[in-house]
Amino acid sequence: MEPLKKEEVYTIEDIYSLPDGERAELVDGKIYYMAPSNTDHQRLVHFFDREIGNYIQRHEGECEVFPAPFAVFLDKSDKNYVEPDISVVCEKNKITERGCNGAPDWIIEIVSPGSKAMDYFTKLFKYRTAGAREYWIVDPAKQRVTAYFFDKESVEEYSFGTDIPVGIYEGFTIRIE
């Protein structure tokens, strides 16, 4: 009988010692390497960054929007480190020189073919349990947004081209054309 293989458990230290230019996330001690983004992905990140940032500025809001790469340390353990495509942080005390300690209030992930399981299952669970208030999964291939409003314990689906209400901001909607 062969002995059981012990699975390697990684820490944030391992993430910071990756070679320059190599990006990865860490969930429960397991490393997930990230593929470079394509042009449509980057357009969407820029669109959300601009729309949300402009809204916050116009309304003199307290929150800040951070596009990836932006480090999010979901909990106090050294085994969880993610880089959401968009992080909106409303509690200034969470923001440090290294990134965000704790879950951002609103997180947006843009799905790529290789990230579906991670975005729809693993990160959904991690973001909810870490205390995020809202999580959007944007699927460019399906032209659909799945919005999880954790405060209200509800989930809604929206098509591109429709007004999508932002849960953390009353009266703010975003339309992806």
Side-chain angles (χ1 to χ4, degrees):
M1 197 165 139
E2 269 187 59
L4 287 174
K5 269 189 171 173
K6 187 172 184 270
E7 199 170 300
E8 186 83 36
V9 176
Y10 296 94
T11 67
I12 290 168
E13 198 173 294
D14 295 306
I15 293 290
Y16 278 101
S17 42
L18 289 172
D20 278 352
E22 193 164 341
R23 289 179 54 212
E25 293 179 309
L26 182 69
V27 177
D28 297 329
K30 187 170 183 200
I31 288 184
Y32 296 88
Y33 292 93
M34 299 164 70
S37 303
N38 67 27
T39 303
D40 286 340
H41 184 279
Q42 286 306 106
R43 281 186 183 123
L44 281 166
V45 168
H46 180 65
F47 167 79
F48 283 114
D49 183 28
R50 192 177 60 239
E51 288 288 306
I52 299 164
N54 287 344
Y55 178 86
I56 292 169
Q57 188 174 22
R58 276 194 315 273
H59 293 84
E60 297 176 8
E62 291 295 312
C63 304
E64 284 186 74
V65 58
F66 297 94
F70 179 68
V72 172
F73 307 93
L74 286 174
D75 53 32
K76 298 211 183 300
S77 88
D78 65 348
K79 298 190 181 33
N80 289 295
Y81 167 97
V82 291
E83 291 182 5
D85 290 314
I86 295 288
S87 298
V88 179
V89 183
C90 301
E91 297 172 56
K92 298 278 187 220
N93 63 334
K94 286 185 175 182
I95 301 168
T96 70
E97 283 301 307
R98 290 180 73 194
C100 179
N101 289 326
D105 294 82
W106 178 18
I107 298 165
I108 300 173
E109 293 284 9
I110 298 157
V111 173
S112 60
S115 73
K116 278 188 165 98
M118 186 74 158
D119 293 335
Y120 280 101
F121 300 105
T122 309
K123 286 184 176 178
L124 170 63
F125 175 77
K126 292 307 282 185
Y127 292 158
R128 185 176 57 216
T129 56
R133 292 165 52 200
E134 186 166 349
Y135 174 41
W136 287 16
I137 302 173
V138 179
D139 190 331
K142 292 182 177 165
Q143 297 211 336
R144 185 178 67 206
V145 175
T146 307
Y148 295 87
F149 303 102
F150 298 133
D151 289 351
K152 299 181 200 135
E153 294 186 19
S154 74
V155 59
E156 301 288 337
E157 297 239 329
Y158 301 93
S159 297
F160 284 20
T162 60
D163 289 338
I164 306 168
V166 176
I168 69 165
Y169 285 118
E170 187 84 26
F172 178 31
T173 61
I174 294 179
R175 178 186 295 251
I176 306 164
E177 298 295 350

